[in-house]
Amino acid sequence: MNLVKLFQMQKALDSHIEEKHQLQDEDLFSRKILALLVELGELANETRCFKFWSVKPSSPKDVILEEFVDGVHFILSLGIECGFDQKGMELMAAQPECSVTEQFLSVYEGVTIFQKSKGFEDYLRLFVAYLQLAALLGISYEEMEQAYFSKNEVNYQRQQNNY
């Protein structure tokens, strides 16, 4: 996964949105944290991993992938907000030995820890936990990257259409 390219694309999108909505001088960190948490909830809802009371299957993989990539957008954006896009980073995510539900909880915890610390190590742990969630959901880096490119385009179109 080409993180340099993803950060560059996200930085351009963030700048476009901030200029369009005149947010250049605003601290958007808390809003981005909340947005990431909401996107995580939407992703969990599509996987239905926690719905022990229901027999309905999870949404199709393309829907889950699109929701997953929304989270990638905000994780990248938070990294940019903290200046981490300028640091070299390699993210290696081993297959976790837990359930999808437990991994979601791990990601939520990572968001909370990072929100409080704004530290680089906590950011890396959050990003790795999210990539581990991808592995559990059967999402490859290649699929993630392609879906990110597609959703990035959609996000620009939405801005042009006053989404």
Side-chain angles (χ1 to χ4, degrees):
M1 187 167 53
N2 186 344
L3 281 177
V4 172
K5 183 174 184 175
L6 296 181
F7 272 121
Q8 288 170 345
M9 291 176 71
Q10 188 62 46
K11 194 171 202 168
L13 178 62
D14 286 355
S15 293
H16 178 78
I17 291 169
E18 288 170 21
E19 285 174 28
K20 179 174 176 134
H21 298 279
Q22 298 161 348
L23 298 167
Q24 299 95 319
D25 298 326
E26 292 215 23
D27 180 357
L28 300 173
F29 184 82
S30 292
R31 290 195 217 179
K32 290 178 182 182
I33 288 285
L34 181 57
L36 175 57
L37 291 170
V38 168
E39 294 300 341
L40 275 170
E42 289 177 6
L43 176 60
N45 203 42
E46 294 299 338
T47 69
R48 303 180 60 79
C49 64
F50 63 95
K51 295 188 176 188
F52 57 87
W53 60 87
S54 177
V55 294
K56 185 177 172 186
S58 66
S59 295
K61 185 174 182 177
D62 62 319
V63 172
I64 289 172
L65 183 57
E66 186 173 340
E67 291 295 343
F68 183 86
V69 168
D70 288 343
V72 172
H73 273 88
F74 284 107
I75 291 173
L76 291 169
S77 190
L78 284 161
I80 293 163
E81 193 90 8
C82 294
F84 301 151
D85 58 312
Q86 301 302 312
K87 294 183 177 235
M89 65 177 87
E90 278 192 38
L91 301 172
M92 300 302 290
Q95 182 80 23
E97 295 182 18
C98 63
S99 70
V100 172
T101 300
E102 290 167 328
Q103 192 60 32
F104 266 108
L105 293 172
S106 178
V107 174
Y108 271 106
E109 181 180 35
V111 172
T112 302
I113 291 168
F114 172 63
Q115 176 201 3
K116 290 176 181 159
S117 77
K118 295 185 183 176
F120 182 63
E121 293 301 319
D122 290 328
Y123 177 75
L124 290 178
R125 277 192 280 281
L126 165 60
F127 212 149
V128 166
Y130 200 62
L131 295 176
Q132 288 174 317
L133 179 60
L136 286 172
L137 296 173
I139 299 170
S140 71
Y141 286 169
E142 212 171 64
E143 290 172 315
M144 194 183 314
E145 203 172 50
Q146 287 307 310
Y148 178 87
F149 297 153
S150 297
K151 189 62 183 261
N152 192 272
E153 234 176 80
V154 167
N155 286 336
Y156 273 108
Q157 290 168 355
R158 286 178 172 173
Q159 288 302 307
Q160 289 172 344
N161 296 325
N162 295 318
Y163 174 74

